[in-house]
């Protein structure tokens, strides 16, 4: 059976989730279509970006058979106090699990009060794996907090997706600053933190990093010069292509391995990468299939 063409990284807000954001009186909140977050300027959301019918049309045009939707971790929902996050997480899961073809979903979870039973339930309902914010997987303490969730993923053989988390607050920064500075630094840190704190404890867990892990894999020479471990990258590690073009993706693939790169667009914020040649097949089909197969085969 031919593997589907997968985009592992998209965002779309189904109606229950939009309603939950609009019901809030503090960040993260949605007023009309203006999004308010701590640490970022107000953002004018385009309603058409969250039209399920329109996004399904775009997936077909992009040559995508399965578009995996995730809760955008920069919203800061996973790190809210558990009681505050519960309604938003429930609305997210209710909405994404009801999305029609070609959509699938990543699970989300509270980090304030990690609940492996709740994660088990949404994985059983159809979520492909769990997304966690890079800010919570940046050091030993973060891995200790997230351990109940990571252990559950490892137990059932489901993958982990690491996505940028909330940006550091800097009201003087220009609007593009969080995406270009905070998010990149978060992903770069999370890449090395996984190899230091995650992989030794969970060697069978398959993990993917958004946005080419902030280009961290390109630093292999500097790592070697400074005496870093030769175990980077570890087995079962993947990166997605979100926001980068063919030249940068090629450079990462050459160093990391072409079987480690998967298509992730971050749509609606960027379009899926299209090589237009034989490289599209592994990035869209074969490599995602390797990432999503059971960790304990």
């Amino acid at each position: 059976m031919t593997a589907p063409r997968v985009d592992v990284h998209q965002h779309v807000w189904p109606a229950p989730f939009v309603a939950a954001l609009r019901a809030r009186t503090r960040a993260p909140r949605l007023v009309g279509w203006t999004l308010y977050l701590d640490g970022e300027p107000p953002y004018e959301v385009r309603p058409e970006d969250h039209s399920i019918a329109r996004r399904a049309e775009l997936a077909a045009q992009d040559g995508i058979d399965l578009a995996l939707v995730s809760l955008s971790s920069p919203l800061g929902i996973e790190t809210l106090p558990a009681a505050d996050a519960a309604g938003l997480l429930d609305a997210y899961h209710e909405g994404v699990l009801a999305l029609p073809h070609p959509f699938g979903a990543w699970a989300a979870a509270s980090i304030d009060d990690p609940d492996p039973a709740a994660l088990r339930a949404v994985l059983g309902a159809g979520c492909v794996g769990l997304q966690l914010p890079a800010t919570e997987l940046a050091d030993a303490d973060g891995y200790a907090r997230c351990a109940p969730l990571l252990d559950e993923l490892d137990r059932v053989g489901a993958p982990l997706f690491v996505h940028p988390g909330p940006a550091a607050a800097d009201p003087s920064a220009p609007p593009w600053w969080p995406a270009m500075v905070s998010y990149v630094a978060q992903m770069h840190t999370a890449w090395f933190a996984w190899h230091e704190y995650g992989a030794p404890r969970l060697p069978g867990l398959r993990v993917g990093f958004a946005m080419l892990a902030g280009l961290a894999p390109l630093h292999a020479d500097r790592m070697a010069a400074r005496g870093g471990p030769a175990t980077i990258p570890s087995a079962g590690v993947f990166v997605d292509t979100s926001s980068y073009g063919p030249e940068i993706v090629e450079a990462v693939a050459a160093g990391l391995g072409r079987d480690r790169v998967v298509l992730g667009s971050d749509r609606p914020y960027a379009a899926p990468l299209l090589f237009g040649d034989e490289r599209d097949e592994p990035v869209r089909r074969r490599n995602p299939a390797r990432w999503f197969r059971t960790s304990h085969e």
Side-chain angles (χ1 to χ4, degrees):
M1 183 176 180
T2 303
R5 297 167 295 181
V6 184
D7 182 341
V8 305
H9 180 183
Q10 293 202 9
H11 304 289
V12 64
W13 296 348
F17 185 62
V18 170
L21 284 173
R22 286 181 174 156
R24 292 179 58 81
T25 58
R26 59 189 180 277
R29 64 187 299 229
L30 195 62
V31 178
W33 285 102
T34 303
L35 177 66
Y36 292 88
L37 302 177
D38 292 330
E40 298 197 34
Y43 178 75
E44 295 300 322
V45 177
R46 300 194 318 165
E48 61 268 29
D49 286 342
H50 300 283
S51 163
I52 307 305
R54 174 59 181 152
R55 292 291 297 278
E57 291 174 0
L58 285 173
Q61 293 172 17
D62 294 334
I64 300 300
D65 303 314
L66 176 61
L68 295 178
V69 175
S70 70
L71 177 68
S72 185
S73 287
L75 294 175
I77 293 170
E78 295 105 318
T79 53
L80 290 172
D84 197 13
L88 290 167
L89 291 172
D90 288 346
Y92 165 74
H93 289 120
E94 175 191 348
V96 294
L97 287 169
L99 289 174
H101 176 82
F103 298 103
W106 289 98
S110 169
I111 296 166
D112 177 60
D113 183 19
D115 185 346
L119 174 59
R120 189 177 314 128
V122 292
L123 292 174
C127 289
V128 299
L130 174 66
Q131 175 190 277
L132 287 175
T135 45
E136 297 303 309
L137 295 173
D139 53 28
D141 287 345
Y143 272 91
R145 283 192 300 274
C146 295
L149 302 172
L150 298 175
D151 288 344
E152 180 63 21
L153 287 180
D154 191 50
R155 187 186 71 80
V156 301
L160 170 67
F161 181 39
V162 183
H163 187 284
D170 184 357
S172 68
W176 50 265
W177 194 266
M180 291 305 302
V181 178
S182 181
Y183 295 175
V184 174
Q186 289 178 29
M187 296 307 301
H188 188 276
T189 302
W191 170 263
F192 292 107
W194 164 256
H195 291 90
E196 184 68 21
Y197 307 112
R201 183 172 175 274
L202 299 164
L205 183 63
R206 297 179 185 274
V207 55
F209 293 83
M211 46 184 289
L212 299 176
L215 304 186
L218 293 180
H219 292 277
D221 292 342
R222 182 172 176 82
M223 164 83 82
R226 295 303 178 104
T231 54
I232 298 178
S234 61
V237 172
F238 297 82
V239 295
D240 89 13
T241 60
S242 53
S243 302
Y244 289 99
E247 294 81 7
I248 297 297
V249 172
E250 271 290 292
V252 172
L256 182 60
R258 298 185 185 282
D259 58 348
R260 307 280 195 115
V261 180
V262 300
L263 174 68
S265 69
D266 200 21
R267 195 180 271 288
Y269 309 109
L273 173 68
L274 179 63
F275 285 107
D277 56 31
E278 68 280 355
R279 291 173 292 181
D280 284 319
E281 187 73 7
V283 167
R284 292 178 176 232
R285 288 191 197 271
R286 293 201 298 271
N287 296 346
R290 293 180 60 251
W291 183 18
F292 288 103
R293 74 172 182 259
T294 302
S295 298
H296 302 290
E297 287 179 348

